Amino acid sequence: MNPVTKPVTINDLQAMTLALEWAAKGMFTTTPNPRVGCVIVKDGQVIGSGHTQPPGQAHAEVQALRDAAARGADVRGATVYVTLEPCSHYGRTPPCADALIAAGVGRVVAAIGDPNPLVAGQGLTKLEAAGIETLCGVLEHEAHEMNIGFFSRMQRGRPWVRMKAAASLDGKTALHNGKSQWITSAAARHDGHQWRARACAILSGIGTVNADDPQLNVRNIDTPRQPQRIVVDRALQLNPNARVLEGGGTWVVTALSNPEKEAALRERGAEIIMLPNPHGKVDLPALMLELGRRQINELHIEAGYKLNGSLIREGCVDELLLYLAPDLLGDAQGMFDLPRMDDLSGRRSLVFQDVKKIDTDLRIIARFK
């Protein structure tokens, strides 16, 4: 990450805050590209603003320049605030750095450097070579959080993995007979769909899919894009009539080949991904790298306690998204199947990121150290 190397004014902070608000407008739509917002300021006034459009369409800087042109504003000498370093390479669209240079802006303030190796400082370098003043590092933390999955994929080759669970106050996710609808409130479930909507993909396990027949999609949220659906199914036990296969395109990750079952699932539009580990189970760390290769930035997990435990034990989870209801269920299913410990030194430590009351429930976001 790039530290601020030049003075930051309150106007810079205000303008970048506004740019981050614009970036959030692309929360559900920009994947696999980062969520980026841009505002153009001249003489203390915002004369243009925009955010990155869906893949293949204009980036935030170009949208802001177009907005300024539509307003009849002159951007020459203006300051551009952008939440991620302007790109300097040709991808699906031309370099944004070139567009800013051609427009004649006088100063560019970026919240954070681009982790993409194709950019990684080259955008700011190109701007400086053209005589444009640059500053990087204004509200860097907020910008990183906005695109935590993009940074994860670029820097680690795997998505940012968020595991969601809804439980009672004593940590139970279902009764002993499997009944779980509904432990938490409608408001908490709606909030959970917001997190689904921002994810690139939703993953569950065959146990949950067979027990609940979920759709694994986003409902009651205004989003033009549904996340990719993924089912971890070691022995291909998935029913070809399962709702998770409706509409096609579901990725089924398995460890055991079965041509007959594979053909039945492919007829429903599923893609079979074979990733066995030496023990005949799905290689979960390899799956995370495969998802990174497939340009998944944020992975949202809603699975049962067994797969949850396996993912945590394999070091595949970055963050927990927990909804706790003010109830006690007693002898029932827990959230994670983790091994018994005889010493506290073996515990897995997390850091609370956010705690919020939602209707009658508590939402906790905690990250593994």
Side-chain angles (χ1 to χ4, degrees):
M1 299 180 187
N2 299 295
V4 174
T5 57
K6 299 173 186 176
V8 178
T9 69
I10 189 63
N11 288 335
D12 286 341
L13 295 174
Q14 291 171 337
M16 191 61 76
T17 298
L18 181 58
L20 285 164
E21 292 174 4
W22 273 93
K25 296 177 186 292
M27 182 66 72
F28 304 155
T29 58
T30 65
T31 183
N33 293 332
R35 305 152 182 144
V36 182
C38 179
V39 297
I40 303 174
V41 177
K42 189 172 184 179
D43 298 327
Q45 300 294 319
V46 175
I47 60 173
S49 53
H51 65 88
T52 294
Q53 300 300 296
Q57 300 181 40
H59 289 186
E61 299 93 324
V62 172
Q63 284 289 101
L65 289 171
R66 289 175 179 174
D67 183 45
R71 300 187 193 194
D74 182 1
V75 301
R76 288 176 296 179
T79 297
V80 175
Y81 295 88
V82 60
T83 59
L84 188 70
E85 176 186 4
C87 62
S88 56
H89 68 293
Y90 280 87
R92 298 183 187 182
T93 59
C96 292
D98 289 358
L100 295 174
I101 292 169
V105 303
R107 181 172 179 251
V108 174
V109 180
I112 193 169
D114 193 330
N116 188 338
L118 296 175
V119 184
Q122 297 178 57
L124 294 174
T125 298
K126 179 179 281 193
L127 293 169
E128 291 171 351
I132 298 174
E133 180 186 350
T134 67
L135 173 63
C136 187
V138 178
L139 298 183
E140 180 180 29
H141 172 75
E142 291 80 357
H144 183 270
E145 289 292 309
M146 179 72 67
N147 287 302
I148 195 166
F150 181 74
F151 275 84
S152 176
R153 179 165 67 86
M154 287 295 162
Q155 295 172 337
R156 304 189 300 175
R158 46 158 285 185
W160 180 262
V161 180
R162 182 178 294 115
M163 178 178 285
K164 179 255 183 180
S168 60
L169 201 57
D170 53 349
K172 307 302 182 180
T173 60
L175 300 180
H176 65 90
N177 57 11
K179 292 183 179 180
S180 62
Q181 296 181 348
W182 298 102
I183 291 176
T184 53
S185 65
R189 298 196 298 275
H190 180 80
D191 188 77
H193 276 266
Q194 292 276 359
W195 289 93
R196 279 190 181 190
R198 70 171 282 167
C200 302
I202 302 173
L203 180 147
S204 192
I206 187 60
T208 298
V209 171
N210 281 346
D212 299 339
D213 195 22
Q215 299 176 68
L216 290 189
N217 61 5
V218 177
R219 299 183 297 278
N220 302 318
I221 300 293
D222 184 17
T223 175
R225 175 194 63 85
Q226 286 289 342
Q228 174 66 47
R229 294 169 296 177
I230 307 170
V231 179
V232 174
D233 182 9
R234 181 185 73 89
L236 288 179
Q237 299 174 315
L238 182 59
N239 186 333
N241 295 316
R243 293 198 298 173
V244 73
L245 297 172
E246 291 175 358
T250 302
W251 297 345
V252 180
V253 188
T254 188
L256 302 176
S257 179
N258 186 318
E260 183 178 346
K261 290 184 177 180
E262 290 173 31
L265 294 174
R266 288 192 179 104
E267 280 191 17
R268 292 297 311 278
E271 179 181 349
I272 309 300
I273 302 174
M274 189 73 63
L275 285 175
N277 68 12
H279 308 291
K281 298 182 178 181
V282 170
D283 189 328
L284 297 174
L287 174 57
M288 297 304 116
L289 293 175
E290 175 64 16
L291 296 181
R293 189 184 69 79
R294 291 174 179 240
Q295 297 189 310
I296 300 298
N297 292 336
E298 291 185 23
L299 177 64
H300 181 94
I301 294 174
E302 294 197 23
Y305 74 104
K306 289 184 179 180
L307 181 55
N308 282 351
S310 295
L311 286 160
I312 291 173
R313 289 196 305 272
E314 295 283 347
C316 296
V317 182
D318 297 303
E319 182 172 80
L320 297 181
L321 173 65
L322 306 179
Y323 296 89
L324 299 181
D327 303 301
L328 301 177
L329 298 184
D331 185 10
Q333 295 181 19
M335 290 187 277
F336 319 112
D337 181 20
L338 296 173
R340 184 191 299 266
M341 287 185 292
D342 295 321
D343 194 291
L344 285 174
S345 63
R347 61 186 169 185
R348 290 168 171 82
S349 298
L350 299 94
V351 177
F352 287 126
Q353 293 293 120
D354 183 69
V355 180
K356 181 178 180 180
K357 192 168 185 290
I358 297 180
D359 195 15
T360 57
D361 305 315
L362 201 63
R363 185 189 74 191
I364 299 173
I365 299 174
R367 290 183 183 169
F368 285 93
K369 290 183 178 179

